[in-house]
Amino acid sequence: MWKPRIARSLMGDNIQDLHLCGARCGICGRTYFPYRRNCPQCLQEETVSEVRLSDNGKLHSFVVCTMAPPGYPVPHVQGYIDLDDGGGRIFALLVDYGKEEHLSVGLEMELVIQATGKDADGTDIVEYKFKPAGVKEGDKGS
Amino acid sequence: MRDTYILGISMNRFGKYPDKTLPELAYDPIWNAIRDSRIDPHDIDISFVGNSYGGLITGQESVRGQTILREAGLFMKPIINVENACASGSTAFYLAQRAVASGQANVALALGAEKLFCGDTARSLQALSTSSDLEIEGKMGIVFAGIYAMRLKTHAEKYGITREQMAQVAVKNHDHGALNPLAQHRKRFSLEEILESRVVVDPITLLMTCSIGDGAAACIIGTREAALEMGQRPVKIKSTVLGSFGYAWQDSESVTTRVAKQAYKEADITPNQIQIAELHDAVAPIELFLYEELGLCGPGESKRLIDNREVWYDGRLPVNTSGGLTAKGHPAGATGIGQLAEIVCQMRGEAGERQVNPFPDIGMAENGGGNVAGETAVVAMHILMAD
């Protein structure tokens, strides 16, 4: 059992195999994340379908914050990822990048799914992050 | 729609007022604006009260405008509460202008007031953080200074803007603030001091940011007939436009550019006619980005405006002669009308040591608020023209 920290942001049957969940409009072709019921461009519902967004993308921009919202560790590294296959640009926190110098605009990135808490019923609360492609989870780099 | 004028306008010095309540803070700007306008205060037909965070800071979530105008002694007529994050004051002004333009009212009061100091910084910051979509961006763990920093970095890399050029905007705004008796911070800083102050989020340093504050600003809006009787240089509201966020990365234009184009069109001017501007410098270097988004210069040309000192109070296009949010301070809901107070003050030749010469005839204010879906949630822009 799992549920996403951000409503309608993830899809999949079990926690080991989750993916980003978006909405794509069949008329204008725009993609939205997280999933939403209508297309705010065309203002149509029936043209919108749920799509699995790519697990991969390129780093568009990023920043290292020495402060963070309550409950988040510092440094707090955030960025925008341009998802492959026309998935659009999404905001993400970045993890497992080793040293800050390893991050650069254009770097290939991949999805990380983390269970970061449990709700009152013991269900895992799951969120998405991104790490440099090919890096093992938890790798601190060198 | 009929022509509308600013009949009277006033703000108090932005800063820290631990001994004053929100209604007490707003009292003097309201009555100074009324005196400035020379109207009979009984003639105010409707009031719009902009405030963002009073509910979370004091618990007065409902009827805040009524509590403020109770203290001022202005009740019985319609009072509309306006919340639009850091653009609440501008939104109140927009609505007041529409009320007079449509003929619904002959005289309208627009007020912006905010009290962010409450003795508990965590509470103040928590209140500010609610100007985003808490269920989406909030749960993504977004740091807003970081969003600004990413925008700046991307822009700087594209056009070769240096850290020194970014810091120079803060130097300018602190220079202006030092000359403004109503600014919260009235101290000059060198380029080195700005660059060497604590890094908030690279490339933004502490002296490039705006601090939290308390303050209020009020404006009386009326018709041309009333403007001709007030004994001051009449200032016409040429256009006032409000817009909301889009999906920035896939839209061709940002909300700021979209709103600006409409404001210029409605005012029937081009950006190169602007003689003075107050811009929403939530972090000082974002001004460079705004010059371009607002069409005040071409893409990549903003660094030239700062290098050539064109945007200083004695330059070709003075920007944020008040000190901007950086130095004048940023009591959120008060900021939008505070920007207009500076433009009117300059147009009337009342700006003392920071006076722009010759007195400007055409000016603009741009005020932003909140962040939703990665864009500024609300952008307001007003263009004023003195007779």
Side-chain angles (χ1 to χ4, degrees), chain B residues 37-68:
Chain B
S37 71
R38 298 196 191 171
I39 59 155
D40 178 343
H42 296 93
D43 292 341
I44 297 172
D45 296 312
I46 189 166
S47 297
F48 296 90
V49 179
N51 171 266
S52 308
Y53 307 110
L56 285 165
I57 300 279
T58 68
Q60 185 71 55
E61 174 61 24
S62 187
V63 295
R64 289 200 292 284
Q66 283 79 354
T67 67
I68 290 168

Side-chain angles (χ1 to χ4, degrees), chain B residues 46-359:
Chain B
I46 189 166
S47 297
F48 296 90
V49 179
N51 171 266
S52 308
Y53 307 110
L56 285 165
I57 300 279
T58 68
Q60 185 71 55
E61 174 61 24
S62 187
V63 295
R64 289 200 292 284
Q66 283 79 354
T67 67
I68 290 168
L69 294 180
R70 173 191 189 167
E71 175 78 12
L74 302 169
F75 21 96
M76 293 197 275
K77 304 279 183 64
I79 297 169
I80 318 289
N81 285 282
V82 178
E83 192 285 299
N84 241 350
C86 301
S88 295
S90 275
T91 307
F93 179 82
Y94 168 90
L95 293 167
Q97 189 275 337
R98 290 297 190 275
V100 176
S102 67
Q104 178 193 4
N106 284 321
V107 179
L109 166 69
L111 173 72
E114 202 74 59
K115 190 170 162 50
L116 285 169
F117 281 112
C118 62
D120 178 356
T121 306
R123 184 193 281 194
S124 302
L125 295 177
Q126 197 275 330
L128 289 164
S129 75
T130 62
S131 291
S132 67
D133 189 331
L134 296 179
E135 287 295 321
I136 302 182
E137 284 83 16
K139 288 186 172 176
M140 288 180 181
I142 285 187
V143 169
F144 287 99
I147 299 286
Y148 276 116
M150 277 195 278
R151 233 181 259 176
L152 284 171
K153 275 173 69 178
T154 304
H155 192 68
E157 278 160 24
K158 189 171 174 187
Y159 293 114
I161 296 169
T162 64
R163 280 164 199 277
E164 286 72 20
Q165 285 163 329
M166 293 191 212
Q168 203 61 254
V169 182
V171 171
K172 169 182 74 75
N173 290 352
H174 284 293
D175 272 2
H176 289 163
L179 299 174
N180 181 2
L182 298 181
Q184 181 169 359
H185 303 291
R186 301 200 59 202
K187 187 171 181 288
R188 287 196 161 81
F189 293 97
S190 68
L191 189 68
E192 292 69 33
E193 286 173 308
I194 306 273
L195 284 169
E196 284 162 18
S197 62
R198 184 168 64 79
V199 175
V200 177
V201 183
D202 184 61
I204 299 165
T205 66
L206 189 65
L207 287 172
M208 298 179 191
T209 61
C210 58
S211 54
I212 61 172
D214 305 335
C219 179
I220 304 284
I221 296 163
T223 60
R224 178 169 176 79
E225 291 69 37
L228 294 176
E229 286 171 16
M230 70 180 174
Q232 300 266 21
R233 191 179 186 200
V235 174
K236 185 176 177 177
I237 305 166
K238 287 287 282 182
S239 65
T240 165
V241 174
L242 202 61
S244 305
F245 71 99
Y247 278 80
W249 63 268
Q250 48 190 355
D251 288 337
S252 51
E253 285 176 344
S254 71
V255 54
T256 307
T257 299
R258 194 162 21 93
V259 166
K261 282 186 176 174
Q262 194 186 335
Y264 296 131
K265 189 178 169 201
E266 288 186 16
D268 195 25
I269 65 162
T270 55
N272 59 19
Q273 288 176 266
I274 296 290
Q275 297 164 349
I276 184 168
E278 286 282 307
L279 306 183
H280 195 87
D281 56 325
V283 297
I286 207 73
E287 254 191 50
L288 298 170
F289 194 74
L290 287 171
Y291 302 158
E292 299 180 19
E293 278 199 300
L294 297 168
L296 297 172
C297 67
E301 291 176 0
S302 58
K303 57 183 182 181
R304 179 176 56 79
L305 266 60
I306 200 81
D307 283 348
N308 299 343
R309 298 181 66 90
E310 291 175 49
V311 281
W312 260 259
Y313 80 98
D314 52 358
R316 179 185 64 82
L317 174 62
V319 175
N320 284 334
T321 53
S322 66
L325 280 59
T326 311
K328 184 177 64 176
H330 183 34
T335 288
I337 298 177
Q339 292 177 318
L340 294 167
E342 175 68 11
I343 303 281
V344 172
C345 170
Q346 291 280 359
M347 286 178 164
R348 290 178 181 174
E350 296 168 351
E353 288 184 278
R354 67 187 192 287
Q355 180 63 48
V356 172
N357 280 300
F359 304 167

